[in-house]
Amino acid sequence: MPSPEHDPWPGPELPGDGPASPDDEASAKALQRSIMALVVLGILASGAIAWWSRPAPGNTPGTRLAANSTLASTSAPPPTVHFTDVTAASGVRFTHVNGARGDKLLPETMGSGVATFDMDGDGDADLLFVNGRPWDDAAARVAPTTAALYRNDTRPGGPMRFTDVTAGSGLEEPIHGMGVACGDFDADGRVDLFLTGVGANRLLRNQADGRFEDVTASAGLPRDTGWSTAAAWIDADRDGDLDLFVAHYVEWSAELDRRINHTLPGLGRAYGQPWSYTGTMPRLFLNQTRPGGPPRFTDASAGSGLWVRNPANGQPLAKSLAVAPIDLNDDGWIDLVVANDTVQNLVFTNRHDGTFAEVGIASGIAFDAFGHPRGAMGIDAGRFRDDEALGIAIGNFANEMNALYVSQPGRDHLVFTDEAMPEGLGNASRQLLKFGLFFFDYDLDGRLDLLTANGHIEEQIERLQPEVPYRQPAQLFWNAGTGPSFVPVQPGQAGHDLFTPRVARGSAYADLDRDGDPDVVITQCGGPAVILRNDQSLGHHWLRIRLVGRGGNTGAVGAWVRARVQGRVLARQVMPTRSYLSQSELPIHLGLGNARAIEGLQVRWPDGRDQVIPVPDIDREILLQEPP
C-alpha cells in the first residue's frame, strides 16, 4: 500500500492492531447448591420479563422516551424526499413464510434477508428474497416455500417492473433460510450466491440465463453447520479471490427450545432469549478455485483467530447476527466487525496472512458506554463526516439505543467511541427494536444518511408492554453535517409509506429504476416484502461508479473510491454486505449536492494500488476497469 505521503487523499490515521477458592466442607457445598438452585429458579422466573422490559443502562425504569425525541439540534430541517410504496405495481409478490404454528420456536421470529444484485449482468439490480419453510415435513411437501428471484425489467424512465423467475432458477429447494451473500467467487463475471439458514447452507453458482447450480458439496462446503446467519464474500488473505465468512447465532434445536419452554406471565409460550443457548463459532472458508476450474474451498476456521471462547466456561462466545467487513485501520486489508446478540461485539483485525486478531474490547466496540453487551442486530460501516471519521452503526434491541462507534484519530491504537447520543442516533432510537440498518445518501447531498428497519419479535408484546408495538415504523436519519449530524426525519418529510408500521427484518438499497437515487427494499417476518421508490426531486447531482476488478475479484469488493467535491472528500467502500442478513448493490453512488462537477477521483483497488481517474462528467454511470 502506498505510504501516506504518496497518497493523494490519505484517509484518517487509524493505526493497526496490534480464582480458585479452597474446597468447602460437604455441608457447606450442600448449602451452596441449595442457594444456587433457588437463585436459578428466580432467574428463570424473572428472566423472560427482564428480557422484554429491561431498561437501557443509565435509564430510570418506567421512563418512556418518545421515538422521535433527540438532542437539541442547531441543524437545518431535513429536505422533503418522499419514498413511495410501489410493491404491488412493480410485480413483486413475495411474502415471507416463517413456519410459525404456535410453537414459538426461536428461528420463526428472526426473519430473513434480501439481496439487490445484478443477476444477469445487464446493469440493473435484480432481487433475491430469502425465505423460511414449515417445520413439519408433510406440510412442506404440500405447500413448499422457497427463496424468490425477481428479474428487473424496468425500462429507463419508466415505472419499476419485476418478473418472478424463481421457477427453473435452481432456488426451488425449500430451506429455513436466513441470510444471503453475493459475490463472483469463480471469477467468471457472474454474481454467485451463498444462502445461510437453520440447518442449511447453499453455495449457488451462477450459470447465466437466471439459472443457479448448487455446488455446496462439490466445493467442499458443509451443507449444515447449525444456525448460520450473516455471510460475506471478502478477500481475507488478499490473494485476489473471494473467500467466505459465515457467522452463526446459537446452538439451537426444536427439541431444546421446547424443553427450555420460555413463557411470559399471562401469555404462555413465548420466543426465548438468546442467553438461554450456548454461543457458536464463525467459519472462514478460503477460496482455492482456479480460473475455469471446479469450485474448491478449504475450511480455515480453526486457525483463523475467529474462534473466541467465553473465559468463564470455555464455551463459544459469539451469538452473531450481522457482520461489517471494513478496512478499519487503512492498511489495505479487510477487517471484520461482528454484531452479537446479548454478548460483546467482536472486532477482528487482519494479520495480513489470512488470520485475524480479536480486539473488540481494546477498540471500544465490544460494549456500550457502561460496559454492557446489547442485543445487536443489523450493522453497517461508513465515513459519514467531512473529516472522514469511520462510523460503525449497530441497531440494537428495544430499550437500547442504536450504537455509533466513531474512530478517534491521532491515537496509537484502534480506538472508537460510541457517539450515538451526541450525533443524534441515541434517544430517538431507544424504544424501537432495530433489525435492518444501513448508511446511504438518499437525498444526494454527499453525506451518508442512515435508515433502520424495525419490528418486535413477540407478537403479543403489547399485552406485556402497552407502549411497545409489535409492528414498528422505520426510522430515517438525515445527515445534516453539523452537530448533531443525524436528524430524525418525520413522515411529512419522507412520506408516510416509509413509516408504515411493519415487522421489518432485512433491508437493502439499490437504484432499482436507474434514475440516479437509491431505492429501498425491506423484508418482513411472516409478511410481504416492500419496495420503496425514492422520489427525490431536489435537483442534486450524482455520479454512479461501477468497478470491474481483474483476477479473482471481478466486483472489486473491498476497493475504496474517493472523490473531491467542493473541497470535501467523499469516501465509499465497495461492499455489498450491509444491514441484517442482506446485501446491497455493488456500484458506488455518489451524491454531489449542488456541485456541477467533481474536482478529482481516485480508486484504491483491493490489492492496495491507487489509481487517479480523469475527471468524468456527472449525472451518469461510469465504468472503471482495474489496470493490469
Side-chain angles (χ1 to χ4, degrees), residues 24 28-44:
D24 296 319
K29 288 183 178 180
L31 178 60
Q32 285 182 334
R33 286 194 295 268
S34 299
I35 294 173
M36 287 303 300
L38 291 173
V39 170
V40 169
L41 288 174
I43 291 173
L44 292 175

Side-chain angles (χ1 to χ4, degrees), residues 37 179 218 331 435 512 556 604 613:
S218 61
D331 64 354
F435 274 91
L512 297 173
R604 175 162 293 170
I613 308 297

Side-chain angles (χ1 to χ4, degrees), residues 77-85 440 442-443 449-451 474-478 487-500 502 520 532-536 538:
T80 298
V81 176
H82 282 184
F83 286 85
T84 303
D85 186 343
F440 75 141
Y442 78 94
D443 63 337
D449 313 297
L450 187 131
L451 178 75
Q475 276 195 307
L476 179 62
F477 294 89
W478 176 63
V487 179
V489 178
Q490 303 304 318
Q493 298 162 328
H496 291 272
D497 288 354
L498 178 63
F499 300 102
T500 298
R502 300 181 176 97
V520 172
L532 294 158
R533 187 186 63 213
N534 186 336
D535 289 332
Q536 72 85 27
L538 301 172

Side-chain angles (χ1 to χ4, degrees), residues 81 107 141 146 157 165 176-177 206 220 293 299-300 362 407 429 464 478 562 616:
V81 176
R141 285 193 294 269
T146 72
V165 293
H176 202 99
N206 193 331
D299 189 343
S407 60
S429 67
L464 186 67
W478 176 63
R562 283 182 167 88

